[in-house]
């Protein structure tokens, strides 16, 4: 059995398994592989098993995708009603599921062809909105008549909420100290301060679960710091893992020798702090830990320009002075080959943007101040929402989440 045949059989088995409606699945596959059709097949299988189509919820990210899926389900039911028998195997699977769904439709009198709105195929935002609107007006966060605001207007509202936190400078409380700390960090640039906070408000669903109301004791702050720094380490390692995978192994020995050559020349020139100097002892490709970042950074500086394209000329600034023994020509050949290795070049350039794996004490002090200010900015934003009877999609999602409750205390 060839590798291709084995993969094909595994693919077929996975698709068949995913149509078992008694089990749950996560399906991961590249674009164009038929994920949408698989979802439609599963939806049709479910239609044949429920007492009402509203029991099934299919969620997409865009209205276009939701509309397309609904149309394709209706087309499958229509083809089943007309007795169409397709030739392709994957289409026959859809046809069989559609025939069973249609039979169930007729038995229970749904008449989905005439009542397609009974199929709950909708976007995530639409689902959140329906849940949020079901919250009683007397409850906190009720959103029965709330209007969803467009992005441009919402950005202005974020800035307004961020600006309102500056009022704390006239108060005598912990918020005043936090505001001063953050302002000092941005050199008292109020516009920059407002920009930071407004951008954070636009992603508040991502960080609110971690900082809560912003009042952290020493233990809580330490645990949060460990958690966030672990996230930095993971982000660095994931990037370097991919970089190692796309590293041109056939050029490794030559690159490392040239890196050592350049590092020695820079050290002789009194530039031991130059990024390329980190390659002085590199006798194998760098690894994927945070401690390997300097070596990757050195390779990036030796091979790439500031904008991330392969260098076309080498000078003493990269450790290649005039009068060498062919090292420039050797590296020039390697650089020419990099023109066709966009993946490696992009990830190598990306090393320059990787975050440090840990915060220094000053950075952490500013972050703690932000953690105090951000919940305050959220409160100001909520007040603006209430005054104007508007909200953004994030607020609707947060309201829906609160309405659903937790596994231990469902809403």
């Amino acid at each position: 059995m060839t590798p291709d045949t084995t993969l094909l059989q595994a693919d077929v088995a996975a698709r068949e398994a995913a149509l078992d409606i008694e089990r749950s699945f996560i399906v991961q596959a590249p674009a164009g592989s038929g994920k949408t059709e698989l979802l439609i097949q599963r939806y049709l299988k479910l239609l044949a098993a429920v007492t009402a189509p509203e029991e099934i919820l299919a969620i997409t990210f865009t209205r276009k995708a939701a509309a397309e899926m609904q149309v394709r389900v209706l087309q499958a039911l229509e083809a089943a009603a007309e007795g169409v028998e397709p030739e392709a195997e994957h289409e026959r699977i859809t046809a069989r599921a559609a025939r069973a769904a249609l039979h169930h439709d007729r038995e229970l009198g749904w008449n989905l062809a005439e009542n397609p709105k009974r199929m709950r195929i909708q976007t995530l935002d639409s689902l959140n909105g329906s849940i949020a609107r079901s919250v009683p007006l007397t409850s906190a966060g009720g959103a029965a008549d709330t209007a969803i605001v467009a992005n441009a207007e919402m950005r202005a509202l974020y800035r307004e909420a961020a600006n309102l936190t500056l009022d704390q400078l006239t108060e005598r409380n912990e918020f005043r100290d936090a505001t001063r700390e953050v302002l000092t960090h941005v050199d008292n640039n109020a516009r920059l301060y407002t920009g930071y906070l407004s951008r954070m408000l636009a992603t508040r669903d991502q960080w609110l679960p971690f900082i809560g109301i912003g009042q952290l004791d020493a233990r809580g702050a330490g645990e949060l710091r460990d958690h966030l720094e672990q996230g930095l380490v993971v982000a660095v390692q994931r990037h370097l893992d991919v970089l190692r995978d796309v590293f041109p192994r056939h050029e490794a020995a030559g690159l490392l020798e040239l890196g050592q050559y350049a590092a020695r020349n820079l050290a002789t020139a009194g530039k031991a702090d130059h990024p390329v100097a980190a390659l002085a002892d590199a006798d194998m490709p760098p690894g994927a830990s945070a401690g390997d970042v300097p070596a990757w950074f050195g390779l990036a500086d030796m091979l790439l320009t500031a904008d991330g394209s392969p260098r076309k000329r080498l000078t003493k600034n990269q450790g290649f002075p005039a009068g060498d023994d062919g090292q420039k020509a050797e590296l020039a050949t390697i650089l020419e080959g990099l023109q066709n290795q966009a993946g490696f070049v992009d990830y190598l350039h990306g090393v320059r943007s990787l975050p440090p794996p840990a915060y220094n004490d000053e950075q952490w002090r500013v972050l703690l101040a932000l953690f105090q200010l951000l919940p305050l900015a959220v409160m100001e934003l909520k007040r603006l929402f209430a005054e104007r009877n508007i909200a953004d999609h994030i607020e609707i999602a947060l309201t829906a989440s609160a309405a659903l409750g937790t596994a231990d205390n469902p809403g």
Side-chain angles (χ1 to χ4, degrees):
M1 185 178 293
T2 66
D4 287 345
T5 303
T6 302
L7 286 173
L8 180 59
Q9 289 184 347
D11 180 76
V12 170
R15 290 174 187 273
E16 290 177 352
L19 294 179
D20 181 354
I21 59 174
E22 299 295 327
R23 301 163 62 195
S24 298
F25 294 90
I26 294 175
V27 177
Q28 294 177 298
S33 58
K35 294 189 298 296
T36 301
E37 183 166 24
L38 183 64
L39 180 59
I40 289 170
Q41 291 168 352
R42 187 173 171 90
Y43 184 86
L44 290 167
K45 294 265 289 187
L46 286 164
L47 276 178
V50 297
T51 55
E54 291 85 356
E55 295 176 31
I56 311 168
L57 176 62
I59 302 173
T60 69
F61 285 104
T62 66
R63 293 179 182 177
K64 180 181 178 182
E68 178 190 352
M69 183 175 170
Q70 186 179 82
V71 167
R72 289 178 63 177
V73 169
L74 290 171
Q75 287 174 339
L77 292 173
E78 182 181 353
E82 295 174 355
V84 175
E85 184 61 40
E87 295 182 4
E89 176 57 29
H90 65 93
E91 292 177 347
R92 287 201 294 270
I93 294 173
T94 302
R96 286 194 293 271
R99 284 194 293 270
L102 182 63
H103 178 71
H104 203 53
D105 174 300
R106 289 170 173 171
E107 277 189 330
L108 299 181
W110 296 342
N111 196 13
L112 288 179
E114 300 296 328
N115 301 287
K117 289 187 177 180
R118 294 195 65 182
M119 294 188 292
R120 298 184 62 192
I121 302 173
Q122 58 193 124
T123 65
L124 182 59
D125 288 333
S126 176
L127 173 65
N128 287 334
S130 64
I131 296 173
R133 284 190 295 273
S134 71
V135 176
L137 288 174
T138 53
S139 301
D145 299 316
T146 300
I148 306 298
V149 176
N151 289 338
E153 185 178 349
M154 189 51 63
R155 285 194 291 270
L157 209 63
Y158 294 152
R159 289 193 295 272
E160 185 175 349
N163 268 323
L164 288 170
T165 64
L166 289 170
D167 292 344
Q168 296 300 319
L169 290 171
T170 63
E171 304 293 334
R172 291 184 176 274
N173 55 32
E174 69 276 12
F175 293 121
R176 180 186 66 175
D177 296 336
T179 305
R180 284 180 172 176
E181 183 73 49
V182 177
L183 270 174
T184 301
H185 178 67
V186 296
D187 296 327
N188 290 319
N189 187 325
R191 184 174 181 178
L192 196 57
Y193 166 96
T194 300
Y196 279 153
L197 262 63
S198 63
R199 285 194 296 274
M200 291 295 289
L201 286 173
T203 58
R204 62 193 185 282
D205 54 326
Q206 299 176 26
W207 47 260
L208 267 175
F210 296 105
I211 68 174
I213 61 174
Q215 303 301 316
L216 298 170
D217 57 20
R219 179 180 178 181
E223 290 176 351
L224 181 58
R225 183 173 185 172
D226 290 342
H227 177 80
L228 293 177
E229 289 182 341
Q230 182 58 37
L232 294 175
V233 170
V234 169
V236 170
Q237 290 177 339
R238 284 178 178 172
H239 186 95
L240 297 185
D241 277 336
V242 177
L243 181 53
R244 279 174 56 84
D245 288 342
V246 296
F247 183 80
R249 297 286 170 180
H250 59 287
E251 303 285 9
L255 273 175
L256 296 173
E257 287 181 9
L258 291 167
Q260 293 172 349
Y261 166 82
R264 288 195 299 270
N265 289 333
L266 290 166
T268 302
K271 298 180 179 179
D273 58 345
H274 192 283
V276 177
L279 301 175
D281 300 318
D283 53 3
M284 63 178 62
S289 68
D292 293 303
V293 170
W296 286 114
F297 200 98
L299 275 174
D301 199 88
M302 182 175 75
L303 299 175
L304 309 178
T305 62
D307 66 0
S309 56
R311 293 188 182 279
K312 294 184 178 178
R313 57 189 299 269
L314 299 160
T315 70
K316 62 181 181 180
N317 294 329
Q318 292 84 45
F320 292 85
D324 63 13
D325 294 322
Q327 287 86 353
K328 279 186 182 180
E330 184 179 350
L331 186 53
T333 301
I334 293 175
L335 288 168
E336 186 176 352
L338 293 183
Q339 299 289 345
N340 299 318
Q341 299 185 46
F344 172 65
V345 169
D346 289 345
Y347 271 91
L348 185 61
H349 181 54
V351 168
R352 293 164 165 168
S353 301
L354 289 177
Y359 303 108
N360 61 40
D361 289 340
E362 180 183 356
Q363 290 171 330
W364 185 244
R365 191 169 62 249
V366 174
L367 273 176
L368 284 179
L370 269 174
F371 294 158
Q372 285 185 288
L373 278 178
L374 286 170
L376 178 64
V378 171
M379 289 175 58
E380 296 288 3
L381 183 62
K382 285 179 175 291
R383 184 173 62 79
L384 293 174
F385 283 160
E387 287 178 356
R388 303 173 194 187
N389 200 27
I390 58 177
D392 60 359
H393 286 298
I394 293 175
E395 193 64 21
I396 297 300
L398 291 172
T399 300
S401 179
L404 291 174
T406 64
D408 296 328
N409 186 25

